[in-house]
Amino acid sequence: MTSLSTPLPYAGSDTVISTPVSSYPHSASFKLSRIALNLFVALSCLMAGLFVAFHAYAAYLFSYPPIASIGSNPMLAKSLAYSDVVFASADGASQVEGWWIPAGDSRKTVVLSHGYGTNREEPWVPMYDLAGFLNGLQYNVLMFDYGYANPLNPSPATGGISESQQLRGALQYARSQGSDELIVWGFSMGAGTALQAALQSEPVDAMILDSTFLPDENTVYANINHYIRLPQYPTISLLRLFLPLMGGVALDDVPAAEAQATDYAFPIFLIHGTEDDKAPYSIAENVARAQTNDLSRLWIVPGAIHEMIYRTHTEEYVARTAAFLESVRKLA
């Protein structure tokens, strides 16, 4: 007898046919995770790019700071007769423009060395007032622009490397006018530039240095930190990368440590405020500590800020600097 096989279930029977569970929710979750990861990677790359670009821009601004146009002249500002002058930097790499303010037949001259981010007028000092003060003491005065302040053809700021050549050119020009007593009066980076010029054996009789700024990684980082909080590293590493590309000079090319440790062959009057947030007053203390000339002086002004000591302590400032100049004149 032939047995019949059990029939297969069919639609409509009581047997339930199982349906495969859909994998759609898992697939959608995977796709969302991948999109989120891609967005995170893209955003991270964008933020890293912006971080690097910021440092490139900061290096550019350091090399090419925006400078206000010259707004006056010695005659308009202080009724001082003057002549426009042009002279070569000591290395012949650039032409420097300035004003020569004579004091009769005087053979003594003060060269004013302005700070970073401004021109020969440096209004917050204010430079015209100093020119008038010095002219009244029978000093010729030479005011000039560093290359980065040239309105038509600016050269990059180099922390004093090329600027020291321009200052040496100014001193050579003053000698060509018959000056046999030469004094440099510098402010901020113009003061640091004066020390760098002196390292190159450019002879002067004295220097007055107000709020001396010498760029190294600590001072540059501190100045950036005033505007935006950034980690010291890789900020310094990125600046080391971009500064030579923008200005042609590396941060380590500036002889900041040597300038602070050298015993110069002439007297220096150092002036600095304890609340200077751009250049620590330890720079002035370091320079003063290295000097052995009996006429060298250090005046640390409690509560004073960067380059504003003349304005806030005018009477004492004038008295101290006049006394220093008189001591140098007697020595000469």
Side-chain angles (χ1 to χ4, degrees):
M1 180 176 180
T2 303
S3 60
L4 297 175
S5 60
T6 306
L8 294 173
Y10 58 90
S13 71
D14 292 336
T15 304
V16 177
I17 304 174
S18 61
T19 305
V21 179
S22 173
S23 63
Y24 175 77
H26 297 291
S27 176
S29 176
F30 174 76
K31 288 180 180 179
L32 288 174
S33 298
R34 188 168 61 181
I35 291 172
L37 178 61
N38 289 339
L39 285 174
F40 175 77
V41 171
L43 183 60
S44 297
C45 291
L46 177 62
M47 294 302 293
L50 290 174
F51 186 78
V52 172
F54 169 81
H55 287 82
Y57 182 62
Y60 175 82
L61 284 181
F62 181 83
S63 301
Y64 294 95
I67 308 292
S69 301
I70 290 177
S72 187
N73 61 54
M75 177 57 72
L76 291 174
K78 288 292 174 181
S79 299
L80 297 171
Y82 74 99
S83 56
D84 293 306
V85 297
V86 179
F87 51 86
S89 60
D91 59 1
S94 62
Q95 292 293 108
V96 183
E97 298 180 1
W99 294 320
W100 175 258
I101 306 171
D105 58 356
S106 174
R107 298 179 65 84
K108 56 183 184 177
T109 297
V110 172
V111 176
L112 295 175
S113 176
H114 70 77
Y116 173 78
T118 186
N119 55 37
R120 71 189 87 161
E121 292 183 309
E122 197 150 10
W124 52 80
V125 167
M127 207 71 95
Y128 285 123
D129 284 7
L130 283 185
F133 162 62
L134 291 166
N135 202 247
L137 295 177
Q138 292 304 297
Y139 284 92
N140 307 306
V141 178
L142 178 57
M143 304 171 70
F144 70 97
D145 288 338
Y146 283 114
Y148 59 79
N150 186 311
L152 300 178
N153 186 30
S155 57
T158 60
I161 301 297
S162 61
E163 291 81 8
S164 62
Q165 298 298 321
Q166 294 156 17
L167 176 56
R168 291 180 61 208
L171 291 167
Q172 292 167 10
Y173 176 83
R175 286 192 198 95
S176 74
Q177 302 304 300
S179 303
D180 53 23
E181 181 183 328
L182 278 176
I183 295 166
V184 177
W185 196 328
F187 294 84
S188 190
M189 198 165 82
T193 295
L195 292 176
Q196 293 183 56
L199 290 175
Q200 301 167 51
S201 301
E202 192 66 43
V204 297
D205 292 281
M207 287 185 179
I208 300 174
L209 305 179
D210 186 327
S211 306
T212 304
F213 177 87
L214 283 161
D216 59 20
E217 66 177 42
N218 292 322
T219 54
V220 170
Y221 173 71
N223 276 270
I224 290 176
N225 228 27
H226 292 321
Y227 302 99
I228 183 171
R229 293 286 181 179
L230 294 172
Q232 187 163 2
Y233 297 97
T235 291
I236 294 300
S237 299
L238 288 171
L239 289 176
R240 288 184 185 280
L241 171 66
F242 287 118
L243 282 173
L245 297 176
M246 300 298 179
V249 171
L251 193 58
D252 290 338
D253 292 338
V254 179
E258 183 184 1
Q260 293 178 68
T262 297
D263 183 8
Y264 297 93
F266 49 83
I268 304 176
F269 183 18
L270 293 142
I271 305 168
H272 221 111
T274 60
E275 298 303 313
D276 191 326
D277 63 353
K278 293 181 173 59
Y281 66 90
S282 59
I283 294 176
E285 291 180 326
N286 292 340
V287 176
R289 193 176 299 117
Q291 305 315 303
T292 59
N293 191 297
D294 289 340
L295 295 181
S296 290
R297 298 286 183 269
L298 172 65
W299 179 28
I300 299 295
V301 186
I305 62 175
H306 193 68
E307 289 190 274
M308 296 295 285
I309 302 169
Y310 177 90
R311 283 189 178 275
T312 57
H313 297 72
T314 305
E315 187 175 338
E316 186 175 5
Y317 194 104
V318 168
R320 284 177 179 264
T321 52
F324 177 74
L325 291 170
E326 179 64 17
S327 68
V328 172
R329 187 192 67 80
K330 289 180 178 178
L331 181 65

